[in-house]
Amino acid sequence: MDVQPYQKDPDFWKTRFRLIQPNMRKVDAIDLDVEEMIDEVKEYGANAILVNGGGIVAWYPTTNAYQKTNEFMQGDFLGSVIASAHKANIKVLVRMDVSKSYSHLLESHPNWFRRDAAGDVVKHWEMLTTCPTGPFWEDYNFRVLEELLNKYPVDGIFFNAFNYLRCSCKRCQKLFKEKTGFDLPIKEDWDNPAWRAFVHYRYERHADYNQRLAEFVDVVSPGTVLTIDTNVTSDSYKGIRESGWHTVNFAESNGCITSEAFNFVDRPFPKWNYWVGEEVKIGNHIKQTSIILSYSKSIFSRRAAQPSHTVWV
Ligand SMILES: [Zn+2]
């Protein structure tokens, strides 16, 4: 019997769908029963799943030397999930990450990494954050995507931690100066025209990068959409601004809006339990908006298993 090639349906992302993200630790791959996981997702009523793909840790056999393949994975996690999910009529968003890389690559690729005003590399936990204008974003990321998209019938690509964080490397200084005529500001100061120009510049650059990524994804794998980790609203707009997230601009290129609304452990009381609804209500005026459901609701402890009494959906 001939196996029909998988038919992608980019219009799916314009409809109401239920997405679940089993945000897995590397060790969760040990003895993982993928079929059972997909059954649980279906039982939950979801028709889309967001699963770990690559960028930092590859959850599939990769030829790309700068990703680390999950050492706890047996076989091909991503390939198995996609096959099982599609059999169950569940769409697959593949989670990628370009925000960080490994310290052992600093010596060979110093221009991949983000610098503070003193020229030092900026860390996030034990990892090094990457420069949003550097070759890691502009070249490496596209090569990783290319390999993955050529290998798997993916419905969508999702970028985690898709923040255009401020970088003061020489290249970022030069690009900003060329575009605006100003020196790159080192701190927020609304009286400084260079700062106001930077805020605008960052939104534009990030939307442009997003658009180029979306176009690339569609060229390599027609019908595959791009969506990114964002917030439509927040307690303070500063976090959204400092990420360079201009939802309206992103939405022009993306298949849908995927927004996170966690019950942050360190958020002061009162808890805002309606954040999810607020995000969807506002986001849907722009484009179909889905909230990323995670097994973990406490972002700063999601590297450990979630204590059962804190789980709520
Ligand atoms: Zn930079």
Side-chain angles (χ1 to χ4, degrees):
M1 189 178 78
D2 285 345
V3 178
Q4 294 297 314
Y6 178 69
Q7 291 294 320
K8 287 177 207 160
D9 177 16
D11 287 340
F12 170 85
W13 306 103
K14 297 176 187 159
T15 65
R16 295 175 79 173
F17 58 90
R18 179 174 277 190
L19 173 73
I20 187 166
Q21 175 188 205
N23 198 3
M24 300 166 82
R25 305 163 300 170
K26 290 197 292 183
V27 291
D28 292 330
I30 300 171
D31 295 331
L32 178 73
D33 186 332
V34 166
E35 296 274 348
E36 194 181 321
M37 183 177 79
I38 294 298
D39 284 347
E40 284 180 11
V41 167
K42 194 146 185 129
E43 204 177 303
Y44 188 81
N47 54 356
I49 185 171
L50 170 56
V51 288
N52 294 4
I56 301 172
V57 173
W59 289 64
Y60 61 97
T62 178
T63 58
N64 207 301
Y66 301 121
Q67 304 183 91
K68 280 186 183 169
T69 307
N70 180 1
E71 65 270 32
F72 299 103
M73 176 181 76
Q74 292 110 23
D76 179 354
F77 166 83
L78 186 59
S80 308
V81 168
I82 291 171
S84 297
H86 285 172
K87 219 164 34 174
N89 205 21
I90 291 172
K91 305 284 186 224
V92 181
L93 283 180
V94 177
R95 187 179 193 257
M96 306 297 288
D97 201 319
V98 73
S99 67
K100 303 170 200 72
S101 192
Y102 299 99
S103 52
H104 72 269
L105 299 170
L106 178 60
E107 206 177 320
S108 55
H109 297 89
N111 60 351
W112 280 7
F113 297 100
R114 191 174 144 237
R115 309 279 170 163
D116 61 18
D120 295 323
V121 174
V122 186
K123 284 187 166 186
H124 184 84
W125 295 319
E126 76 275 19
M127 300 212 70
L128 310 186
T129 54
T130 52
C131 165
T133 69
F136 193 75
W137 282 49
E138 290 293 346
D139 183 46
Y140 168 84
N141 192 32
F142 288 85
R143 300 290 78 78
V144 172
L145 274 179
E146 189 173 33
E147 179 195 56
L148 194 147
L149 291 168
N150 280 325
K151 202 165 170 176
Y152 302 105
V154 170
D155 297 291
I157 293 289
F158 166 87
F159 269 90
N160 180 58
F162 198 68
N163 316 75
Y164 194 103
L165 299 179
R166 241 185 298 163
C167 175
S168 297
C169 77
K170 295 225 162 17
R171 181 184 46 251
C172 284
Q173 291 184 39
K174 184 169 171 280
L175 288 168
F176 181 67
K177 180 96 175 176
E178 281 170 3
K179 182 77 180 173
T180 67
F182 291 111
D183 288 333
L184 189 67
I186 54 172
K187 64 174 179 23
E188 178 178 326
D189 175 5
W190 294 98
D191 293 327
N192 180 1
W195 171 257
R196 297 198 301 271
F198 175 72
V199 171
H200 192 68
Y201 166 87
R202 178 172 48 192
Y203 284 136
E204 278 192 346
R205 267 204 76 106
H206 206 14
D208 172 67
Y209 183 75
N210 175 77
Q211 186 186 342
R212 287 187 286 118
L213 264 188
E215 286 168 2
F216 181 80
V217 166
D218 193 52
V219 166
V220 178
S221 177
T224 298
V225 301
L226 176 71
T227 181
I228 57 139
D229 175 24
T230 193
N231 286 148
V232 179
T233 70
S234 185
D235 285 343
S236 149
Y237 199 74
K238 183 167 180 170
I240 292 175
R241 185 176 66 239
E242 288 294 301
S243 298
W245 289 333
H246 196 298
T247 305
V248 175
N249 286 352
F250 283 142
E252 284 175 16
S253 317
N254 294 358
C256 60
I257 297 171
T258 37
S259 184
E260 290 191 51
F262 289 104
N263 185 20
F264 287 102
V265 161
D266 63 343
R267 186 192 189 278
F269 284 99
K271 298 290 182 192
W272 177 232
N273 290 331
Y274 302 105
W275 190 17
V276 168
E278 183 189 351
E279 294 261 284
V280 173
K281 274 278 184 199
I282 295 172
N284 273 351
H285 285 285
I286 303 166
K287 202 156 206 174
Q288 179 62 35
T289 299
S290 171
I291 299 301
I292 297 161
L293 289 177
S294 167
Y295 290 157
S296 168
K297 290 284 175 185
S298 51
I299 190 165
F300 296 114
S301 61
R302 68 182 179 185
R303 288 187 160 203
Q306 182 84 347
S308 59
H309 66 276
T310 67
V311 175
W312 58 271
V313 289

